[in-house]
Amino acid sequence: MGALLAMALGGAGPAAALGRVVLARLQPGVYVASAANAEVALANAGEVVPTLVHVTGAGVLVVDPGPHLAWGNGLLAAIRAVTPEPVRWVVNTHAHPENVLANAAFARLRPRPAFLASAATAGLMRQRCEACLARLSAQLGPAAMRGTRIVLPEPGLRHGDRLQTGATAWEVQVHAGAHSAADTVLYAPRRRLLCVGGLAYRDRVPEMQEASLQGWRRALRAVSALPADIVVGTAPGTPAQTLAPTLAYLDALAGGVAAALEAGGDAARVLSPAAAGPYRHWRYFASRHPLNVQHAWRELEDLWMNGEPLA
């Protein structure tokens, strides 16, 4: 991997910037918006999604545009600093507000880009975006969310589809019941580029509030089988920096809970420092890991009592 790519994956390197949004170059024509590798908080204004931007020669693809109008406007200005090509496609990988509410900035464009998501994600956004917008506004404050409105995508992405953006053909995977109720993955084989939304974390404990532990593990095994050099998840990196450690953490969590269930123990066994292993240095470990143990225990206990495999 070249020096430019390594620097970009590390959060620095050549970039195009205008205002507060910085686009770091991953490949020719492919950029990622530098964002906080953190959970949404007042201190980061919810700007935690590393939006993928692909300048295709036939228009611009934007994947997960971010949390609010202000970020979307800054992102659009940064794109304009790179290329005059129109934004033609906006993809929402899953229905978390910090990923999708900046749709509002791109809905103003003429011609209007195609807003695309899986049917499940589009349906979830229709059901709950009003509540999510209100919750994010309460968390971040009215100034941060000023002018943000809900723009719903079309249910245009299905598992097994191909999304053609200029010369780049993306293979589409939709994983139900994984990190969220529905997670869309875009994979460009010729570029060895994988965009997984919230499925992969980097040096941070995964957030499992809406997750299925078993479904998330299955999804990660599926995407890990794809030959890729770059993964854009909650932070960009290589598969070894993102996919492998996220899956290893979830596998360790499942194994710890399964062992405790078999031994007639309780969650304290899984929370011990020995069980935490190599993940204790990850961000939010002290606050997030105990919640993940509780979540995993509830899910796996039901399976265990029904005699279903936990591996």
Side-chain angles (χ1 to χ4, degrees):
M1 185 176 296
L4 293 183
L5 178 57
M7 291 169 67
L9 291 180
L18 192 62
R20 55 183 178 160
V21 180
V22 175
L23 292 182
R25 182 177 178 270
L26 297 181
Q27 290 180 344
V30 178
Y31 303 84
V32 66
S34 299
N37 185 12
E39 296 182 2
V40 171
L42 185 62
N44 58 41
E47 296 165 359
V48 299
V49 175
T51 301
L52 179 76
V53 174
H54 178 23
V55 181
T56 72
V60 178
L61 166 70
V62 174
V63 182
D64 287 338
H68 44 60
L69 180 66
W71 173 264
N73 285 340
L75 176 62
L76 184 57
I79 292 170
R80 288 289 170 261
V82 171
T83 180
E85 292 182 24
V87 177
R88 288 191 56 194
W89 308 271
V90 178
V91 171
N92 297 145
T93 65
H94 60 288
H96 285 179
E98 63 270 24
N99 292 74
V100 305
L101 288 178
N103 282 1
F106 296 88
R108 297 176 170 184
L109 299 177
R110 295 295 180 270
R112 193 177 192 266
F115 291 86
L116 301 172
S118 70
T121 293
L124 284 167
M125 288 175 64
R126 187 175 300 278
Q127 292 170 22
R128 67 189 195 187
C129 264
E130 290 284 356
C132 289
L133 175 57
R135 186 169 66 251
L136 203 61
S137 297
Q139 186 175 5
L140 301 181
M145 301 300 293
R146 184 173 293 118
T148 303
R149 65 183 181 87
I150 296 163
V151 176
L152 296 173
E154 296 296 321
L157 299 177
R158 296 171 299 179
H159 189 83
D161 279 353
R162 283 185 174 244
L163 174 64
Q164 192 75 36
T165 60
T168 302
W170 299 88
E171 297 177 1
V172 178
Q173 293 185 3
V174 180
H175 296 275
H179 149 265
S180 69
D183 292 278
T184 298
V185 170
L186 297 180
Y187 173 55
R190 293 183 63 182
R191 288 182 169 269
R192 295 177 64 91
L193 174 62
L194 187 57
C195 187
V196 299
L199 283 173
Y201 282 61
R202 181 173 176 179
D203 300 323
R204 178 156 65 99
V205 174
E207 193 276 313
M208 299 185 66
Q209 184 176 352
E210 298 182 5
S212 162
L213 173 59
Q214 300 295 71
W216 196 343
R217 294 168 70 204
R218 285 191 294 270
L220 281 174
R221 291 192 188 105
V223 299
S224 296
L226 300 172
D229 297 324
I230 305 170
V231 179
V232 179
T234 60
T238 65
Q241 292 168 327
T242 57
L243 297 177
T246 305
L247 180 56
Y249 171 81
L250 297 176
D251 282 347
L253 181 62
V257 170
L261 286 167
E262 292 289 349
D266 56 29
R269 180 190 297 267
V270 192
L271 289 170
S272 72
Y279 311 108
R280 284 174 287 173
H281 69 284
W282 283 6
R283 296 190 72 183
Y284 306 114
F285 180 83
S287 59
R288 180 60 57 189
H289 180 64
L291 297 176
N292 288 349
V293 170
Q294 294 175 27
H295 184 101
W297 192 280
R298 289 193 297 270
E299 179 179 338
L300 297 186
E301 185 177 35
D302 287 343
L303 297 177
W304 178 73
M305 292 181 69
N306 290 327
E308 297 182 38
L310 304 185

